[in-house]
Amino acid sequence: MRTVSEQVGPVAPPRWLRGPWRWLVLALAAAFFFAPVGVRVFGVRAKPIENRPLVAFPPLSRGFHIFADLTQWSIDHLPLRKLAVRTNARLSEDLFGEPPTYNVAGAPVGIGQGAALAGGARPAPGGSFDNMVISGSHGWLFLGDEFVRGCTPDFTLTQFTAALRRLDTIVTASGRKLVLIVAPDKDTVDQRFVSSSTPFAACSRQAKAERWAALGALGLPDFVDLLPRLQVEERTTGQPSFLALDSHWSDRSSTTVFVKSMLDALSPSLYASARVAPGPRQAYTGDLSVLNGAPMQGSDVRWLLTRPGVAPGATTTTTPFLNFPITHYVNAARPGVPLVRPHTLLYGDSFSVRALDQIAPFFADLTYIPEVSRGAVEGPQARAAAIAALAEQIRSADVVVVEQAERELVSAVGSILAPDVLDALQSALAKAPRGRGLSVR
Amino acid sequence: MSFASPIFLWYFMPALLVVVWLTPRSARNLVVALFSLLFYVWGAGTFVFLLLACIAVNYAAGRLVEPGRGGASERSRKLWLAATASFDVGILAIWKYGTFAQQQFHALVHDFGGSTGSVLRIALPIGISFFTFHHLSYVIDVYRGVRPAQRHPVAFVTYIAMFPQLIAGPIVRYHEIADQLPERRPDRLGDFAAGFPRFAHGLAKKVIVADSIGPIADSIFALSSNQLTTPAAWLGALAYALQIYFDFSGYSDMAIGLGRMLGFRLPENFARPYSAVSITDFWRRWHMSLSRWFRDYLYIPLGGNRGSAGRTYFNLYLVFALVGFWHGANWTFLIWGLYHGSWLVLERVTGYRSWADERLRVLRRLFTYFVVVVGWVFFRAPNLHAAGSMLQAMFVPRFGPLPDTVTAAANTQRTLTFALALLVVLIPGRFVLGRFLEASTSRIGSLARVGVTAVAAPYAAVLVAAGTFSPFLYFRF
């Protein structure tokens, strides 16, 4: 019968740890524990590597909460962290040919602490990618969420179409015009770069096809169906609509498809009044590569859109809205140069933001408000504030342009179709009907 | 605060090491005690007051239960021991099992058509299972006269709150460490050098292996019963078996290494458990410090195996029911404990436990591993229904493609890590990589030890630091 010794370890350091081995191990240990502190002493400071500023040192008045705050502060201000993130991404891609995953190592698993610790974090219902970015073919990157949400949306098809009808009814019944634009996901448009073995891809493709078909069949009067237009553009130019390293489409697609389609829905004369031409090729850093922890640059032709005869007026950034501003544009135009005159609200995501400089000169009075999912990130109170701000802005508008990415539109958290958002809009608009209609002069 | 976190590795540890080395040897316990309380308050917040209250009670109780204390009678010592043990167990019962007990009561009332108010949720203080067992070990050892009561409050706080073992063990019986507390270690650099490789290997086991395999197990245990197939269920059970071993033994390695760096020798907690040839053997190798605690303070006082066969079986069942329940307030843990208790009894009844280790070694090892893996299903499943679904999928053949959630979780890196980890635990029992790295005195052994440390520590550090990366998609705003 085997017996296991109950002796604790030896008193003296082991024999092998004499002479040079000891110094080698000590050097390794010192480098391991003291490298970040050491480089900090020599002036190396952490820089923001995520899309937010570094967390400030918490005040002592936080009481016991200071420890949680200090943990985030210590992570943000850890020198060499950027190097670690880049190294991890490089190792993952070079050794395993796949984007890195970002699991936060943490508490021990299931050891006397009860079920709360057993197994650690669990996947969200419907599943998720730990790595936010998925590699496609030819070096293309995709957002993992596009596949997961495509496959397992928060809304059923019936709920989705019912909510779209409800949004349309709420806005149009109040006397306002609603232009609805859905920015198709990258994998919806450029499926040929999606690897066939990508999890959720097959399921996502089928679900998305059904959703787009349902969207078209709804017959909403001012729904701008971008998907066929992008597909036509791809066939015409022979170029993909989206950028290989980015979650957004190219500047060409943004200008000649997105901006044009939005304006056409308001008045066909608008886009025709602009001068549009390809400009120089410019480098860009792909947002998906940044999410990957290994920023990469690509290049894209910049498209120039100018409006002769339009004098930019005041551009004011009003209330900081959950770190993202609500921006108000006022423009004037020479006689004969058309502008959308009624107060217009553009509710949109990063696709709109990227095109704002091109969109704004077509409006006499335009307000841009970021989507409510910003609030969801900050917590329930911020979400409520975001929804209230959106309702208030729509209440004051005559024309409402809603642009939202496909993946976000089917998310219960981020979508304008979420029941709490629609309830708030219904309540706000019912009290403030409009009847002026759209005028483009 | 986890050992595998930036705040611990690159703020807490450097600060601790600098203070330890800048202060006299005699101040070691004070430094360790203060840093341990800081470590605890970081993760547990105001629960530090509960810990301090327990420390105060048990410190005082140690003096009251000590033999030969100013003519105190045996009866009075026994009463004080009973009162202190009741206090310690009561603390554990309230904070760890209070919510669970209420839930069961409410469910029972509901079943009989009654109604109750809402369940009062009681937060679980980190490490309560461990510090309670340390306190019990202390008062019992002192009562038995195995070691005298600790006179120095600082040394007592050091024993109870010592951060290497505070939140995940090993469970250190007082008599194992009592003699080390007053030591003034002459070779602090030697201790540090001796502990670091062990710590680095543990960190690598946790961060590189366990955290890679975990998402595979998580994705499968999250499947609904109609999504589970036989291959997926076995993959999930095997993945969890590997995850919990590399995670827990990695944590123990880190604890032992950290203790060593500070001049303490903590007891071993694992001895290649998946090499076991029986469940009896498994429990000599898995979470050894817990087995020893239950053996010394419960199984033997109950009579152990000195009574009738029936009494021995009862003792085993009772001990393993409590072992299971100690792991968490859920029926799944109780079933897991009873499952192991049943195998232990069966091995006694059949005489299987007395077979020579070499007899049918490979087959017995595989069978033991099979039994243990099946047991982990109860341990990991969120409830008995989920465990039942998983076991049904494992044993009633059902085939189909792996769900997307599983293929998404089982990327190349994780699948490779899973395969290598499985290979490591299934290689012949005589070749123990950890033992070779820990104890080989040859030049090759030293080279391997330092080489593994030099590769594993930086890679683990990269994963820990990179694991904190959490950008927000809309960075262009």
Side-chain angles (χ1 to χ4, degrees):
Chain A
M1 181 59 64
R2 183 179 175 282
T3 55
V4 176
S5 168
E6 291 192 19
Q7 292 286 314
V8 291
V11 174
R15 261 193 328 139
W16 72 273
L17 261 180
R18 290 175 191 164
W21 292 116
R22 165 186 287 215
W23 294 109
L24 192 54
V25 170
L26 283 173
L28 280 171
F32 181 84
F33 287 118
F34 290 96
V37 176
V39 299
R40 190 177 167 86
V41 168
F42 286 102
V44 176
R45 294 287 182 273
K47 294 195 174 90
I49 56 171
E50 284 118 346
N51 39 324
R52 57 174 173 77
L54 299 179
V55 170
F57 194 86
L60 292 175
S61 58
R62 293 277 293 150
F64 276 95
H65 295 294
I66 198 171
F67 296 109
D69 296 348
L70 270 174
T71 300
Q72 188 55 51
W73 177 89
S74 72
I75 289 169
D76 271 17
H77 292 265
L78 182 69
L80 305 179
R81 180 165 166 255
K82 179 179 174 181
L83 178 67
V85 171
R86 302 281 183 272
T87 304
N88 179 46
R90 180 55 68 84
L91 284 173
S92 192
E93 277 160 11
D94 291 355
L95 286 180
F96 304 105
E98 61 196 9
T101 53
Y102 292 103
N103 294 327
V104 179
V109 176
I111 309 159
Q113 296 297 344
L117 282 181
R122 308 213 170 154
S128 64
F129 284 108
D130 300 315
N131 41 348
M132 291 175 276
V133 176
I134 302 298
S135 283
S137 59
H138 300 86
W140 274 55
L141 300 176
F142 292 88
L143 193 64
D145 252 7
E146 290 189 356
F147 300 96
V148 177
R149 288 210 186 135
C151 194
T152 53
D154 293 337
F155 303 122
T156 64
L157 200 55
T158 312
Q159 289 171 329
F160 177 67
T161 51
L164 278 169
R165 275 195 198 287
R166 188 178 169 209
L167 173 67
D168 187 65
T169 305
I170 290 170
V171 179
T172 55
S174 73
R176 293 169 177 84
K177 180 181 178 68
L178 172 71
V179 174
L180 175 68
I181 305 170
V182 181
D185 287 344
K186 185 176 180 177
D187 72 298
T188 306
V189 178
D190 288 314
Q191 280 179 6
R192 62 191 181 283
F193 296 108
V194 177
S195 166
S196 59
S197 60
T198 302
F200 302 103
C203 156
S204 169
R205 193 173 301 140
Q206 188 185 340
K208 285 182 172 187
E210 289 170 7
R211 196 152 51 238
W212 278 98
L215 202 51
L218 266 179
L220 298 179
D222 288 306
F223 165 61
V224 178
D225 194 350
L226 282 186
L227 183 56
R229 297 174 203 213
L230 288 167
Q231 287 166 336
V232 167
E233 185 227 11
E234 285 203 341
R235 279 198 297 275
T236 311
T237 62
Q239 297 292 321
S241 292
F242 278 76
L243 299 170
L245 305 174
D246 207 280
S247 64
H248 300 93
W249 43 45
S250 65
D251 212 43
R252 184 196 66 241
S253 299
S254 178
T255 308
T256 65
V257 180
F258 171 54
V259 174
K260 180 177 186 302
S261 303
M262 179 196 293
L263 296 171
D264 285 352
L266 295 167
S267 169
S269 64
L270 282 168
Y271 187 77
S273 68
R275 281 189 198 148
V276 180
R281 183 168 279 278
Q282 288 186 339
Y284 75 93
T285 303
D287 63 356
L288 294 173
S289 68
V290 173
L291 286 180
N292 233 0
M296 289 193 288
Q297 286 209 322
S299 68
D300 184 31
V301 174
R302 184 100 182 105
W303 278 65
L304 307 172
L305 185 153
T306 51
R307 293 216 68 202
V310 174
T315 298
T316 53
T317 298
T318 56
T319 44
F321 180 75
L322 307 166
N323 299 325
F324 302 101
I326 297 171
T327 310
H328 188 204
Y329 302 85
V330 176
N331 297 305
R334 261 193 345 237
V337 177
L339 280 180
V340 178
R341 296 288 168 188
H343 176 43
T344 304
L345 180 80
L346 170 59
Y347 170 84
D349 55 24
S350 52
F351 287 95
S352 292
V353 172
R354 288 159 62 97
L356 261 180
D357 288 346
Q358 295 184 338
I359 293 169
F362 291 93
F363 294 84
D365 183 359
L366 174 73
T367 299
Y368 167 74
I369 183 168
E371 57 175 345
V372 291
S373 61
R374 307 285 161 276
V377 176
E378 307 281 331
Q381 285 184 331
R383 176 178 173 81
I387 292 171
L390 172 64
E392 177 58 29
Q393 291 293 337
I394 291 186
R395 202 171 64 84
S396 67
D398 300 301
V399 177
V400 180
V401 179
V402 169
E403 175 275 310
Q404 195 158 32
E406 182 184 356
R407 62 174 175 274
E408 219 42 68
L409 200 61
V410 294
S411 143
V413 173
S415 179
I416 195 172
L417 303 179
D420 55 348
V421 179
L422 293 181
D423 289 346
L425 295 187
Q426 186 165 27
S427 167
L429 300 192
K431 293 176 201 155
R434 296 268 169 142
R436 282 197 282 161
L438 175 66
S439 75
V440 176
R441 286 181 279 117
Chain B
M1 197 188 305
S2 159
F3 295 158
S5 65
I7 185 80
F8 179 80
L9 294 173
W10 298 302
Y11 292 88
F12 182 88
M13 278 303 290
L16 169 70
L17 292 171
V18 166
V19 175
V20 162
W21 287 331
L22 288 181
T23 49
R25 287 181 172 82
S26 57
R28 178 192 64 169
N29 286 351
L30 178 64
V31 173
V32 172
L34 289 175
F35 270 83
S36 295
L37 291 175
L38 175 66
F39 177 89
Y40 192 75
V41 81
W42 208 286
T46 50
F47 281 125
V48 74
F49 298 119
L50 178 70
L51 173 63
L52 288 171
C54 293
I55 287 174
V57 167
N58 283 273
Y59 175 76
R63 307 290 287 271
L64 295 170
V65 302
E66 191 174 23
R69 174 186 57 90
S73 69
E74 178 65 22
R75 180 182 156 74
S76 130
R77 290 198 310 115
K78 197 173 269 183
L79 277 174
W80 278 116
L81 175 67
T84 312
S86 303
F87 171 80
D88 289 333
V89 173
I91 293 283
L92 189 64
I94 291 169
W95 266 276
K96 186 163 180 172
Y97 303 103
T99 305
F100 177 73
Q102 289 180 75
Q103 286 168 338
Q104 303 317 306
F105 174 72
H106 283 238
L108 200 65
V109 171
H110 185 75
D111 285 348
F112 283 98
S115 65
T116 54
S118 58
V119 172
L120 177 66
R121 302 258 165 205
I122 303 170
L124 180 69
I126 299 169
I128 190 169
S129 309
F130 291 94
F131 70 68
T132 300
F133 273 32
H134 284 139
H135 280 132
L136 287 168
S137 167
Y138 171 73
V139 287
I140 296 171
D141 278 0
V142 171
Y143 170 81
R144 289 174 176 172
V146 178
R147 288 291 185 281
Q150 181 55 252
R151 261 62 184 169
H152 301 285
V154 170
F156 187 64
V157 174
T158 305
Y159 164 55
I160 298 296
M162 187 190 293
F163 72 87
Q165 42 82 355
L166 182 57
I167 60 166
I171 297 169
V172 186
R173 291 164 298 169
Y174 181 63
H175 62 263
E176 289 176 305
I177 202 164
D179 298 339
Q180 298 179 41
L181 291 169
E183 278 182 350
R184 295 188 182 189
R185 302 289 295 164
D187 184 7
R188 291 195 287 188
L189 278 182
D191 284 336
F192 183 60
F196 180 69
R198 185 69 182 271
F199 174 78
H201 299 164
L203 183 67
K205 282 164 82 173
K206 158 76 181 152
V207 175
I208 300 173
V209 184
D211 287 349
S212 287
I213 297 172
I216 299 177
D218 290 345
S219 68
I220 293 169
F221 276 90
L223 293 176
S224 60
S225 56
N226 60 350
Q227 287 178 300
L228 276 169
T229 60
T230 301
W234 277 104
L235 177 64
L238 286 170
Y240 185 67
L242 294 174
Q243 182 198 4
I244 194 166
Y245 168 63
F246 280 96
D247 189 285
F248 193 7
S249 72
Y251 248 88
S252 293
D253 288 338
M254 284 190 273
I256 292 166
L258 287 166
R260 191 65 211 260
M261 283 188 228
L262 299 168
F264 295 103
R265 283 95 57 207
L266 302 183
E268 292 295 332
N269 216 13
F270 288 87
R272 211 179 153 71
Y274 293 148
S275 302
V277 291
S278 65
I279 295 300
T280 308
D281 190 21
F282 175 77
W283 279 100
R284 290 195 197 103
R285 296 162 176 270
W286 178 273
H287 205 171
M288 292 144 62
S289 64
L290 179 72
S291 314
R292 290 190 294 248
W293 193 98
F294 271 102
R295 181 198 63 192
D296 286 2
Y297 302 120
L298 186 65
Y299 183 67
I300 291 175
L302 283 171
N305 53 7
R306 285 167 296 170
S308 65
R311 176 70 196 188
T312 302
Y313 304 152
F314 171 80
N315 291 345
L316 278 172
Y317 265 119
L318 180 64
V319 165
F320 272 84
L322 292 174
V323 164
F325 228 35
W326 178 85
H327 282 84
N330 194 329
W331 295 118
T332 52
F333 293 111
L334 182 68
I335 298 293
W336 174 77
L338 291 173
Y339 170 83
H340 276 270
S342 300
W343 280 104
L344 289 168
V345 169
L346 193 66
E347 287 179 357
R348 278 180 180 271
V349 170
T350 58
Y352 183 82
R353 69 186 292 272
S354 307
W355 286 18
D357 279 1
E358 293 309 312
R359 189 173 167 189
L360 299 173
R361 184 180 188 88
V362 174
L363 276 179
R364 290 170 65 204
R365 206 182 137 190
L366 285 174
F367 181 70
T368 305
Y369 185 59
F370 166 83
V371 170
V372 170
V373 168
V374 170
W376 287 134
V377 171
F378 291 108
F379 195 93
R380 172 61 180 80
N383 52 53
L384 288 176
H385 177 73
S389 299
M390 189 81 172
L391 291 170
Q392 188 183 28
M394 286 166 78
F395 291 105
V396 180
R398 188 192 307 167
F399 296 95
L402 283 176
D404 282 323
T405 47
V406 179
T407 50
N411 63 20
T412 309
Q413 186 171 356
R414 289 169 179 163
T415 305
L416 192 64
T417 307
F418 169 83
L420 286 174
L422 191 62
L423 193 69
V424 165
V425 299
L426 290 180
I427 54 176
R430 287 183 192 82
F431 183 73
V432 182
L433 190 63
R435 197 182 302 156
F436 174 74
L437 288 175
E438 185 66 17
S440 170
T441 52
S442 68
R443 198 176 180 79
I444 292 175
S446 301
L447 195 63
R449 196 158 30 230
V450 175
V452 168
T453 307
V455 173
Y459 184 44
V462 162
L463 291 181
V464 169
T468 60
F469 182 64
S470 60
F472 185 50
L473 172 63
Y474 301 93
F475 77 102
R476 286 183 192 282
F477 274 99

